[in-house]
Amino acid sequence: MPEFIYKNKLYYNPVEFAMDRIGGTWKMPILWRLKEKVMRYGELKKDIPRITDKMLASQLKELEAEGFISRKVFAEVPPRVEYRITPRGKKAIRLVEQIRNYGLELMHEFGVKQEKKK
Amino acid sequence: MPEFIYKNKLYYNPVEFAMDRIGGTWKMPILWRLKEKVMRYGELKKDIPRITDKMLASQLKELEAEGFISRKVFAEVPPRVEYRITPRGKKAIRLVEQIRNYGLELMHEFGVKQEKKK
DNA sequence: CTGGATCCGATTTGATACTG
DNA sequence: CAGTATCAAATCGGATCCAG
């Protein structure tokens, strides 16, 4: 049984480590949107339903701190901040795609229907 | 933006749906161990470090309720209960492997070393 | 042996208001 | 526009005790 410490937290396995980096309710949705677009804070906010400023800001900060996205601030008024995916983030996206495909498969098995975008 | 309800819970995307079925701290470790072995409750308990009875029992119940594992009770004294993976669980294992491989990759990038099993 | 029941603290997320 | 600060709610998981 592998077991290890990272940043003062005990992990039992690599899956847990990965999910701690890019798991949670909002990180994958954020990465997903930055897949092939550079986006501003406000664009992300509008594009991700129900996310609050608190969650968006904190998750962006964590993703940046661990190198999945980068942040560019423009010295303008009004302020402009752009977020873009990094190479590490691109690798993460490949996993997101796999989980997503699996999720779609499961939803089909469970008879879950998705709503259309309005 | 897909958005849907399953069992009275609102989901934002397929990833979230998948992780709600097989995510959390203990479900993947359990599935992983049943990958190619039938195991008893007590064996799982011994093999998964630090898991409590509460978590093991509840996670087994949820995995069974959603068809990832099956449970066989023997009418013996003392009681014997065996858990085995189902076809649906086997598909899940393929995803676990992908997440695990990604986690190992990330750990390498982050310079995390795993301890050897004692 | 295989759990269920209860209590409780820690963590995560949400709501709301406010600011450079 | 792009966030912070504060407080509250919900969820998760651990500890402990009990039972068929």
Side-chain angles (χ1 to χ4, degrees), chain A residues 102 105, chain B residues 32 87 89-99:
Chain A
Y102 176 75
E105 219 177 293
Chain B
W32 190 252
K90 282 189 177 146
K91 283 197 212 168
I93 297 250
R94 292 213 302 275
L95 182 69
V96 177
E97 281 168 354
Q98 294 175 329
I99 302 178

Side-chain angles (χ1 to χ4, degrees), chain B residues 19-60:
Chain B
M19 296 314 292
D20 237 36
R21 305 303 126 213
I22 62 168
T25 308
W26 301 113
K27 283 180 180 168
M28 293 196 205
I30 292 170
L31 289 171
W32 190 252
R33 277 164 182 81
L34 298 177
K35 190 179 174 187
E36 37 211 18
K37 289 201 288 279
V38 172
M39 290 179 81
R40 297 180 57 174
Y41 182 91
E43 294 180 296
L44 285 165
K45 178 91 193 287
K46 263 192 302 191
D47 205 48
I48 304 178
R50 296 165 205 265
I51 196 169
T52 60
D53 281 318
K54 171 184 170 177
M55 291 315 294
L56 180 52
S58 68
Q59 303 304 289
L60 285 170

Side-chain angles (χ1 to χ4, degrees), chain A residues 17 88, chain B residues 101-113:
Chain A
F17 183 81
R88 173 174 293 165
Chain B
N101 287 336
Y102 176 74
L104 288 169
E105 219 177 291
L106 258 193
M107 286 168 63
H108 183 71
E109 279 188 42
F110 281 79
V112 180
K113 302 292 180 206

Side-chain angles (χ1 to χ4, degrees), chain A:
Chain A
M1 186 61 183
E3 226 172 76
F4 52 92
I5 305 266
Y6 182 73
K7 292 191 175 169
N8 286 322
K9 180 177 170 182
L10 173 66
Y11 292 91
Y12 304 139
N13 54 66
V15 169
E16 207 182 346
F17 183 81
M19 296 314 292
D20 237 37
R21 305 301 126 214
I22 62 168
T25 309
W26 302 111
K27 283 180 180 167
M28 293 195 206
I30 292 169
L31 289 171
W32 190 251
R33 278 164 182 80
L34 297 177
K35 190 179 174 188
E36 36 210 20
K37 291 201 286 280
V38 172
M39 290 179 82
R40 298 178 58 172
Y41 181 92
E43 294 179 297
L44 285 165
K45 177 91 193 289
K46 262 191 301 191
D47 205 47
I48 304 178
R50 296 165 205 265
I51 196 169
T52 61
D53 281 318
K54 173 182 171 180
M55 291 314 295
L56 180 53
S58 69
Q59 303 304 290
L60 285 170
K61 187 177 288 188
E62 289 181 22
L63 286 171
E64 190 204 359
E66 302 211 299
F68 293 95
I69 63 177
S70 66
R71 180 172 183 272
K72 184 167 180 187
V73 183
F74 293 82
E76 300 175 356
V77 179
R80 176 154 67 111
V81 181
E82 285 182 353
Y83 293 91
R84 81 183 60 226
I85 199 95
T86 62
R88 173 174 293 165
K90 283 189 177 147
K91 283 198 214 170
I93 296 251
R94 291 212 302 273
L95 182 68
V96 178
E97 282 169 354
Q98 294 175 330
I99 302 178
R100 185 186 146 82
N101 287 336
Y102 176 75
L104 288 169
E105 219 177 293
L106 259 192
M107 287 169 62
H108 184 70
E109 279 189 41
F110 281 80
V112 180
K113 303 290 180 206
Q114 288 193 43
E115 295 299 317
K116 294 285 184 208
K117 185 197 290 203
K118 288 216 187 90

Side-chain angles (χ1 to χ4, degrees), chain B residues 64-79:
Chain B
E64 190 205 359
E66 303 211 299
F68 294 96
I69 63 178
S70 66
R71 181 172 184 271
K72 184 168 180 188
V73 182
F74 293 83
E76 300 175 358
V77 179

